[in-house]
Amino acid sequence: MRLPLLFGLCFHVAAALPVAATACKTNIECSLNGVCNGGACTCDKPWGGPGCGILNYRKGQRVSAKNLYPHNDTGAPTSGPCVTASHVCDALDTWNGPIVEVASKFHLFNPLYKKGSLLGTQDMMHGVADNIEGPYNWTSMGDMGANPAFVAYNDTTSGQTKFSLWVGGSVHVADSIDGPYTVAGPGPGSNPAPVFHNGVWYATTQTTQEIVTVARIGEEWTKFSDIAPKLDHGTQEDPFMYIDGRGNWHIINHAYDVSEWEHCGNSTLSAHVFSEDGKEWHMLEPNVEPYSHTVEYEDGTLHTYTTLERPNCHFNAAGQMTHINLAADLMSQDGGCKQYTVCPAKEGGRCACTNCKYADHAGTIIIALDV
């Protein structure tokens, strides 16, 4: 059975991409996404940039990748908000979840939200596809909550492969990817990003301030390390954590700044922290954002997403990152939505780029990376 790196481990170093770079002295200055050779970074694909801090997107993305769960788009307006003070359109939102490959099938666990809401879920949809970019066939798992994570792991007691779905404050475990899932113990906190490494569990949570650890699910989580680096402005959230083939630790975050309300394609979007041992964490300075707003599709169109959140990455059998799937505002683009009335945390009466999602129709996209 092939288990993707979403489960926390990687067994091969991806092909390297030489780049023109500013001077480096150690691999840390290459974001631990490459090596420092003769004062210049040589980046592992799909990473690029002077410090190997930028994920390069493939050109000509499939149009179907714009929305992996298109079944509740009915009633979404072509422009303007889906939710106003007096009206709610019929379209239902999804907000991304992990994609897992098992036996050459791709499984996506994606929360479906209540009408007019990105705050309350009504179902966990389980999609299965032959291609990671879809189309997916969907079944209902019942309401389990928001912000799921997933880890498949080799159980140290039984020696069997187990499947764990982390959602709603609990860790749900099954013997099959298709379930049934039963609660095995509490999770580490909200919006968890777990990995299973050398027989031990590690995780961070929504605010990405520390790493916690536990030997077995159901035992008490304890602190492993602090995560000190932060962007020079804005807020980091929605962590995705993995350990690469060199044994380096990485966390990719969504990031945002509610003071940014125009030119949304240039607004704060993402962050990346990295560590050689999970103890001492680093970030490129000046800050470099790993993923970006604008995607080019095969029909020649460009879409500049106001926000792309809840990053989940997928890795091939060689351990190379090939895709990133994200929660997306499917409507507003670079111009933003400063005039929206349904919008939390307004500043100066204007709606921030990151908050257009609360009134727009939102969904789940996937981006193929340039490997």
Side-chain angles (χ1 to χ4, degrees):
M1 179 184 299
R2 177 168 141 192
L3 303 181
L5 185 61
L6 181 61
F7 307 158
L9 295 175
C10 170
F11 306 100
H12 178 72
V13 175
L17 174 68
V19 297
T22 54
C24 62
K25 294 182 180 179
T26 71
N27 293 346
I28 289 174
E29 289 150 341
C30 303
S31 306
L32 299 178
N33 288 322
V35 294
C36 181
N37 289 320
C41 291
T42 301
C43 303
D44 304 328
K45 285 188 172 184
W47 294 96
C52 304
I54 299 172
L55 285 169
N56 292 314
Y57 295 169
R58 191 180 70 196
K59 294 183 179 179
Q61 304 280 333
R62 289 178 60 189
V63 172
S64 62
K66 283 184 176 182
N67 189 356
L68 297 184
Y69 188 86
H71 304 293
N72 286 103
D73 289 348
T74 303
T78 56
S79 63
C82 181
V83 180
T84 69
S86 59
H87 176 73
V88 177
C89 75
D90 290 331
L92 301 179
D93 298 335
T94 63
W95 201 239
N96 199 34
I99 298 178
V100 186
E101 185 178 3
V102 175
S104 299
K105 296 286 187 180
F106 296 91
H107 298 255
L108 169 54
F109 296 88
N110 206 4
L112 183 66
Y113 285 74
K114 297 176 182 177
K115 182 178 176 179
S117 173
L118 260 183
L119 299 176
T121 58
Q122 63 174 316
D123 209 339
M124 179 69 71
M125 303 304 296
H126 176 197
V128 182
D130 294 324
N131 188 300
I132 193 170
E133 297 168 0
Y136 285 82
N137 295 315
W138 298 92
T139 56
S140 168
M141 297 177 67
D143 189 15
M144 301 179 74
N147 303 331
F150 199 99
V151 180
Y153 64 100
N154 293 318
D155 182 65
T156 54
T157 301
S158 67
Q160 301 295 313
T161 298
K162 299 283 188 178
F163 301 89
S164 63
L165 182 60
W166 303 54
V167 65
S170 298
V171 184
H172 307 252
V173 176
D175 294 327
S176 165
I177 186 72
D178 297 312
Y181 287 85
T182 57
V183 174
S190 66
N191 209 349
V195 295
F196 188 65
H197 181 54
N198 293 336
V200 178
W201 290 101
Y202 302 88
T204 189
T205 55
Q206 171 76 346
T207 57
T208 319
Q209 295 180 337
E210 64 180 11
I211 303 294
V212 294
T213 185
V214 70
R216 293 179 179 83
I217 299 300
E219 297 179 357
E220 184 177 357
W221 292 87
T222 60
K223 185 175 179 178
F224 178 72
S225 65
D226 289 310
I227 304 172
K230 296 294 178 186
L231 293 174
D232 57 19
H233 68 284
T235 300
Q236 290 162 238
E237 63 167 9
D238 291 350
F240 175 86
M241 182 164 64
Y242 66 97
I243 299 172
D244 70 20
R246 297 187 180 95
N248 298 316
W249 300 52
H250 300 264
I251 299 172
I252 296 175
N253 288 100
H254 168 242
Y256 65 93
D257 187 333
V258 294
S259 69
E260 298 169 342
W261 53 272
E262 61 181 349
H263 308 300
C264 293
N266 294 321
S267 64
T268 303
L269 186 66
S270 62
H272 174 219
V273 293
F274 43 90
S275 172
E276 293 176 302
D277 57 6
K279 290 279 192 179
E280 183 177 358
W281 291 84
H282 309 271
M283 177 182 282
L284 286 182
E285 295 182 3
N287 297 155
V288 175
E289 298 190 18
Y291 66 85
S292 54
H293 291 268
T294 301
V295 183
E296 177 185 333
Y297 289 95
E298 60 189 352
D299 61 0
T301 60
L302 296 174
H303 194 109
T304 298
Y305 294 92
T306 55
T307 190
L308 292 169
E309 307 186 15
R310 300 211 68 250
N312 279 262
C313 301
H314 184 78
F315 302 77
N316 63 20
Q320 185 177 38
M321 190 188 299
T322 61
H323 294 78
I324 183 168
N325 53 300
L326 299 142
D329 180 327
L330 300 177
M331 298 178 66
S332 294
Q333 296 196 48
D334 185 64
C337 63
K338 64 180 181 180
Q339 76 283 3
Y340 279 10
T341 56
V342 176
C343 178
K346 285 187 176 183
E347 290 200 0
R350 295 182 290 252
C351 190
C353 297
T354 190
N355 287 334
C356 300
K357 64 196 177 203
Y358 290 106
D360 282 339
H361 180 39
T364 300
I365 74 166
I366 189 166
I367 300 170
L369 303 174
D370 186 12
V371 295

